[in-house]
Amino acid sequence: MGALQDEPLFSPALRQPRSLREAWELKSACAEQAVYVSGGTLLRTQWEAGTAAVPQVLIDLRNIAGMEDVTRDDDYLTIGSLVTLTACRRSGALASAGPAAAEAARQIAAPAVRNLATLGGNIASGYGDILPALLVHDAELAVYDGNLLRVQPVEAWLERRWSGAIPPAELVAGVRLPLDQGSGGSRLAVFRKVGRREAFTASLVTIAVTADWDAAARTLRRVRLAAGGGSGRPQRLAAAEALLEGAELSRSLLGAVYEAVEHGFASYDDPFAGEQYKKKTAGNLIVSELWQTLELKARS
Amino acid sequence: MPDNFRLEEMGEMAGADIPAGPLYTLNCTVNGRALSLEVPPGRRLLSILREDLELTGTKRSCEIGRCGACMVLVDGRPVNACLTMAYQCGGAEITTIEGLGEAGLHPVQRAFLEEGGFQCGYCTPGMVISVVGLLRENPSPAQEDIEEALSGNICRCTGYGGIMRAVNKAIESGVSP
């Protein structure tokens, strides 16, 4: 791969706004000539690969106060977009409020990349591996539209993102996860990733699961299933969720869940794996996790 | 010596304000020495180290953050110099492989030598940096911690056996930060 030359081909100007409003105004003024950037790890690889144009202006978000904070109140854990993936991976608060998201952070890239890369960047890509985990945790995004910070579910934001409905200057400022109210049972929270090698590899398929397990009734409630991977759209798997919700977990039910995941998960062919492989993989990953719940937790 | 930087006495760092014109004034320390550089803000740290400062121990390889050959410590944490841009290093303390060995071999380097943790040696500076970064945060890492810490460093010669022996020897020797 030919590397980008630093100069003169790669010499964007730098702007370092001190507020969301200032950042939004800069981006609005520069439109497609500018990009928001913090860690810049994904952007840098896109520029090197030629899959994204080198911008004329970098809008460095790191000087905006509050976007590196992790805060907790009675109802939510809120994480600023500039929190690094390393901080996410090590956050006890995230491990508690969003264990699948914390595990996703552990499996994204490698430690040195995570020291630069941010939660906001992974989200803003529209396909980052953290997103399926955020979906199953019912997370919401705080997005700045030039006037207000608006909170919206990750699923709604993804719909806007993938339909091209997000204005270019809109900015993901942070994420909030509802603190689990509990149901008396044990909470299942899983993130799994399959790539082309075991460690430090781009994902082919990711899955995330949360549910309350009632061992006595052998049922799952508040079931959330999601899948994604590669540059595909992260998505909830509603049909499979509906099959599991409140039903007694059994081998025959798992077979139906596998088929629902395989049928419901929309992915894409890439040079290394076809869509059908990814559908099967998502089904196998989810069912294997549920199988472990059935076999292991039922005994405990 | 390249004409676009000057060594300065260690002192108060300038802020990361936007420079007039396209160049960015990068104030940082490299291997303990304060310096100020006029560089394009998006210039890679890898290029600054190798081309501007002639610190060629930091290796150029994949250039997309995959192989770890260009690993350096920024404020004590490993980062890929190929992914890091100049403006992201404002005020930072940067340590390269040359900075580890200024007072003789660093104990991690010695462990790599004694345990055969290299063959061609191209990945070794990055490996050593990653291990130093790990041991600074966790002097007694478990095997899974080591594997995670080195997951971004690729070696195509050793099969990693010698590298793991070297890391374990460094741990046993009680490497101090």
Side-chain angles (χ1 to χ4, degrees):
Chain A
M1 179 182 294
L4 281 175
Q5 297 301 307
D6 287 320
E7 307 103 353
L9 296 177
F10 187 75
S11 55
L14 178 68
R15 299 291 182 268
Q16 295 181 299
R18 305 249 173 204
S19 68
L20 286 171
R21 176 73 189 182
E22 189 183 348
W24 185 89
E25 289 175 347
L26 281 167
K27 175 65 176 165
S28 296
C30 298
E32 294 179 357
Q33 296 175 344
V35 295
Y36 293 130
V37 60
S38 178
T41 52
L42 177 62
L43 291 171
R44 187 89 219 179
T45 55
Q46 290 174 336
W47 299 334
E48 292 282 356
T51 56
V54 177
Q56 294 182 24
V57 179
L58 300 176
I59 302 174
D60 175 19
L61 302 175
R62 296 175 306 151
N63 292 338
I64 299 174
M67 287 179 67
E68 288 183 308
D69 295 343
V70 178
T71 59
R72 180 180 171 136
D73 60 22
D74 290 342
D75 300 316
Y76 294 99
L77 176 71
T78 302
I79 306 175
S81 281
L82 299 188
V83 173
T84 65
L85 293 175
T86 291
C88 290
R89 184 251 186 280
R90 294 178 178 171
S91 168
L94 181 59
S96 174
E103 176 60 17
R106 189 183 74 82
Q107 295 196 33
I108 294 170
V113 179
R114 294 197 293 265
N115 285 337
L116 288 171
T118 61
L119 175 63
N122 197 264
I123 292 169
S125 70
Y127 53 80
D129 285 347
I130 202 86
L131 284 162
L134 294 178
L135 281 170
V136 299
H137 285 306
D138 294 330
E140 298 170 310
L141 302 184
V143 297
Y144 182 72
D145 65 3
N147 290 304
L148 298 170
L149 271 175
R150 299 181 189 276
V151 175
Q152 59 193 255
V154 170
E155 191 167 15
W157 181 86
L158 281 168
E159 176 60 34
R160 295 173 61 235
R161 177 71 171 73
W162 281 79
S163 63
I166 293 181
E170 187 174 289
L171 184 57
V172 177
V175 184
R176 71 178 195 182
L177 288 81
L179 298 178
D180 194 9
Q181 301 303 309
S183 63
S186 63
R187 186 73 173 155
L188 178 68
V190 171
F191 175 87
R192 294 280 304 276
K193 168 179 167 179
V194 167
R196 301 202 309 276
R197 60 195 286 263
E198 185 174 346
F200 188 21
T201 181
S203 62
L204 290 172
V205 176
T206 57
I207 64 97
V209 178
T210 57
D212 291 333
W213 170 242
D214 183 336
R218 297 165 63 90
T219 58
L220 293 170
R221 296 197 182 277
R222 293 199 297 151
V223 180
R224 304 285 186 273
L225 305 177
S231 55
R233 176 176 173 171
Q235 59 207 261
R236 287 273 294 273
L237 301 165
E241 288 177 0
L243 285 173
L244 285 163
E245 186 68 41
E248 183 175 349
L249 199 56
S250 65
R251 295 183 182 192
S252 60
L253 178 61
L254 291 182
V257 169
Y258 172 86
E259 291 179 3
V261 172
E262 184 183 33
H263 184 261
F265 178 40
S267 188
Y268 64 101
D269 295 328
D270 68 37
F272 301 98
E275 181 180 25
Q276 194 57 34
Y277 168 84
K278 296 177 184 179
K279 286 170 169 281
K280 288 177 178 290
T281 301
N284 284 329
L285 288 172
I286 287 172
V287 167
S288 67
E289 291 297 334
L290 296 173
W291 174 272
Q292 289 188 47
T293 299
L294 183 64
E295 295 295 311
L296 300 179
K297 290 201 173 188
R299 286 192 224 126
S300 60
Chain B
M1 181 174 288
D3 60 6
N4 66 336
F5 77 98
R6 60 185 186 277
L7 293 175
E8 291 186 337
E9 295 299 319
M10 184 78 79
E12 186 177 350
M13 293 294 176
D17 293 331
I18 306 163
L23 296 183
Y24 172 78
T25 303
L26 170 59
N27 294 301
C28 62
T29 68
V30 176
N31 298 334
R33 284 180 290 184
L35 59 85
S36 183
L37 290 163
E38 298 291 327
V39 291
R43 185 163 172 78
R44 297 176 309 172
L45 178 58
L46 176 62
S47 301
I48 292 170
L49 294 172
R50 288 183 56 85
E51 297 166 18
D52 299 350
L53 304 182
E54 299 176 354
L55 294 170
T56 54
T58 302
K59 299 306 180 193
R60 171 180 167 171
S61 185
C62 77
E63 308 197 70
I64 55 170
R66 290 286 189 274
C67 72
C70 66
M71 204 71 77
V72 297
L73 297 175
V74 174
D75 294 331
R77 289 185 168 184
V79 301
N80 305 88
C82 69
L83 294 179
T84 309
M85 293 179 271
Y87 77 89
Q88 296 172 309
C89 300
E93 294 181 6
I94 297 162
T95 305
T96 70
I97 191 72
E98 291 91 343
L100 290 183
E102 287 185 338
L105 281 179
H106 187 279
V108 173
Q109 290 176 304
R110 183 174 303 283
F112 270 71
L113 273 172
E114 293 177 351
E115 293 298 329
F118 63 95
Q119 286 185 25
C120 84
Y122 199 81
C123 72
T124 309
M127 287 281 182
V128 169
I129 289 283
S130 288
V131 174
V132 170
L134 167 66
L135 297 184
R136 281 183 174 175
E137 292 201 340
N138 181 1
S140 302
Q143 181 67 22
E144 63 183 22
D145 299 323
I146 299 169
E147 291 177 4
E148 181 176 343
L150 293 182
S151 63
N153 293 82
I154 291 174
C155 173
R156 285 293 176 254
C157 301
T158 63
Y160 300 98
I163 291 169
M164 286 300 166
R165 287 197 306 273
V167 176
N168 286 318
K169 180 153 194 170
I171 294 167
E172 291 165 8
S173 69
V175 171
S176 62

